[in-house]
Amino acid sequence: MDELDVLNRLKDAGIEVLTCMQCGTCSGSCPSGRYTSLNTRRFVRMVQVNMDMLHCEDLWMCATCYNCQERCPRGIKIVDAILTIRTIAVHEGIMLPEHRKISHLLLKHGHSVPINDSTKQKREKLGLEPLPETVHKYPQALKDVQRLMESCEFDKLVAEK
Amino acid sequence: MTKLSLFLGCIIPNRYPGIEKATKFCLDKLGIDCNDLKGASCCPAPGVFRSFDKTTWIALASRNIALSEELGRDVLTVCNGCYGSLADANHELKKDATLKKSTNAHLEKIGKEFKGTADVRHIVEFLYDELGPENIKEMVVNPLKLRVALHYGCHLVKPSNERNLGSVERPDFFDELIEAIGAESVDYSDKMACCGAGGGVRSGLHGTSLEMVNHKLSRIQEADVDCIVNACPFCHLQFDGGQVEIKDILGIDYSIPVLHYSQLLGLALGFSSQEMGIDLNQIKNNEFIEKLKKLTED
Ligand code: SF4
Ligand code: SF4
């Protein structure tokens, strides 16, 4: 099977888009589509006819609010489809620069939003310890998390290409 | 009652520690047995990491859950994103033996194992289910006569087949918890709309994400409320930090105070706004702080 064949990959993940009747309930419910080029109905159509979705900017405009998936009269798992296509894209080295950045934060700190000095001060002001009871405070736990990410080859996946 | 371990995630301890403190105070006051979940990491965030690589996402999530299993406790999340990530991962691992096996092969390298013995809870559904609005009402010492714009946040109730919390179009369990502390949950248009932070949109396409939260804020402003209440620090950041960014970029000044439910509940249970870290938000609104002072001193 062609790894990049989106329709087949979706089918493997238990997602069928071919039953879409282009009713537009999804796009009519989409908060992102009000402000972006994302048109969920058209997106599903493009997936149906197997267009190149990996380079499609709309892929990253979905806020995963699940409105479309909840309301689709055909029960199409639209958000699951979008997330699956994102996975294929990322494995092809296609991702937004900001997303690569937060992936590196996760690799380094075990947190995608790590602590900073101003929050440490806020914590002390509240009578909390400056570092929370997370990987931030336990270096061995951080090492475990990093080891786990290496084991999954996440470091290689998000490395600058 | 169920024993819990508190999963902090990233944004609460590292940006809004007031929510961490408020949560601990409330659990203590309500007599809920909850320990720290020491050494936990990012959940990891569902909108980004889950869509980048499922193997990594589920491995890190399973480690966090395994830490709680070792304590013999269920995981308590205080964030819709952490809840979505950990509850979904837990569910998938429990039902798929092959996935559990391949995930445990990674965990083995750090001496951990996912067994499938813990549940993942969200503080709002936990309080509703295990205590209920009536019991909470009885524990309130400062009824807070406030007009509240409640924001459920998408991932508290959706996807509904995973959550099973009733209607996703017009849910009301959270509103009941707001009313339980003496406040009014005001109806406003697009109440169930997304804040625009999720799915990696806030981090990846900041401008788009601000347009979405600006729309929601304009609706909330029309409803003339005292504050916004949420159940998720990422929505909290989007509403609080987003207002500052909107003021800078679009010149619109909303100045609507933003509270996590733990903070609102803490005030009603007798703690001060300073203790709950409400003055540590980016949005400063002295009028609101004064109002809280009056409500909590009387
Ligand atoms: S709501 Fe469902 S059936 Fe209707 S256009 Fe969207 S995907 Fe197709
Ligand atoms: S989940 Fe994504 S595509 Fe669907 S309605 Fe929400 S923002 Fe639009």
Side-chain angles (χ1 to χ4, degrees), chain A residues 30-36 57 59-67 69-71 77 80 82-88 90-91 95-96 98-100 102-106 109-116 119-120 122-123 125-138 140-154 157-158, chain B residues 8-21 24 36-42 44-56 59-60 62-63 88 103 105-110 112 154-155 157-161 168-169 190 192-194 196-201 203-205 208 211-212 214-215 219 274-277 279-282:
Chain A
C30 179
S32 177
R34 280 183 186 168
Y35 303 103
T36 65
E57 285 181 345
L59 190 54
W60 306 101
M61 294 171 187
C62 164
T64 69
C65 77
Y66 285 95
N67 274 357
Q69 186 157 318
E70 292 291 339
R71 291 177 181 167
K77 295 180 198 154
D80 297 355
I82 292 172
L83 296 183
T84 304
I85 300 168
R86 282 188 185 180
T87 307
I88 306 171
V90 170
H91 282 255
M95 69 196 295
L96 298 176
E98 292 81 2
H99 289 165
R100 208 180 286 283
I102 63 163
S103 300
H104 287 126
L105 290 175
L106 182 69
H109 303 282
H111 278 298
S112 49
V113 182
I115 192 107
N116 54 22
T119 311
K120 279 187 195 165
K122 286 181 183 173
R123 295 184 62 87
K125 212 173 147 194
L126 286 162
L128 296 168
E129 285 188 45
L131 288 179
E133 294 288 320
T134 65
V135 280
H136 270 333
K137 199 168 147 191
Y138 299 97
Q140 185 53 48
L142 175 58
K143 278 203 189 107
D144 282 355
V145 169
Q146 288 167 331
R147 185 86 207 282
L148 209 48
M149 285 190 275
E150 266 168 44
S151 174
C152 300
E153 302 194 340
F154 188 65
L157 180 68
V158 299
Chain B
L8 293 172
C10 296
I11 300 175
I12 290 180
N14 300 337
R15 288 296 178 275
Y16 288 99
I19 302 175
E20 174 178 337
K21 193 178 177 199
K24 288 180 174 171
D36 287 324
L37 189 58
K38 291 185 177 141
S41 67
C42 179
V48 278
F49 305 122
R50 178 187 200 163
S51 69
F52 299 168
D53 187 53
K54 191 174 166 188
T55 310
T56 308
L60 290 194
S62 67
R63 175 185 170 274
D88 288 355
T103 304
H106 291 294
L107 285 175
E108 205 188 324
K109 296 183 186 166
I110 58 164
K112 298 278 174 215
C154 305
H155 302 137
V157 289
K158 294 177 280 187
S160 57
N161 57 336
V168 298
E169 301 290 348
D190 289 329
M192 290 310 290
C194 173
V201 176
S203 56
L205 300 166
T208 301
E211 283 187 289
M212 287 165 74
N214 185 39
H215 171 80
R219 297 299 208 196
Q274 221 166 9
E275 284 174 307
M276 298 294 95
D279 54 336
L280 299 177
N281 272 343
Q282 295 187 49

Side-chain angles (χ1 to χ4, degrees), chain A residues 64-66 70, chain B residues 46 50 57 77 79-92 120-122 125 129 152-168 173:
Chain A
T64 69
C65 77
Y66 285 95
E70 292 291 339
Chain B
R50 178 187 200 163
W57 168 69
T77 58
C79 164
N80 292 356
C82 299
Y83 179 51
S85 227
L86 295 177
D88 288 355
N90 201 35
H91 187 221
E92 286 200 34
V120 176
R121 308 296 302 262
H122 183 289
E125 58 85 22
D129 267 7
Y152 275 76
C154 305
H155 302 137
L156 178 60
V157 289
K158 294 177 280 187
S160 57
N161 57 336
E162 298 279 341
R163 303 285 180 272
N164 284 316
L165 289 169
S167 161
V168 298
F173 62 97

Side-chain angles (χ1 to χ4, degrees), chain B residues 214 217 221 243-244 246-248 250-256 283-285:
Chain B
N214 185 39
L217 284 163
Q221 193 181 41
Q243 287 187 66
V244 176
I246 286 168
K247 196 174 168 190
D248 285 350
L250 302 172
I252 307 170
D253 184 3
Y254 291 107
S255 293
I256 307 171
I283 288 297
K284 310 285 177 206
N285 182 323

Side-chain angles (χ1 to χ4, degrees), chain B residues 2-7 34 37 61-62 64-77 82-95 114-123 125-126 129-130 162-163:
Chain B
T2 324
K3 288 183 175 179
L4 301 168
S5 71
L6 179 60
F7 179 81
C34 187
L37 189 58
S62 67
N64 286 323
I65 299 166
L67 293 175
S68 194
E69 290 181 350
E70 286 170 9
L71 302 173
R73 290 168 177 269
D74 285 344
V75 184
L76 181 70
T77 58
C82 299
Y83 179 51
S85 227
L86 295 177
D88 288 355
N90 201 35
H91 187 221
E92 286 200 34
L93 287 164
K94 279 184 181 180
K95 72 170 190 215
F114 175 90
K115 296 198 175 81
T117 53
D119 274 337
V120 176
R121 308 296 302 262
H122 183 289
I123 190 161
E125 58 85 22
F126 180 86
D129 267 7
E130 310 270 332
E162 298 279 341
R163 303 285 180 272

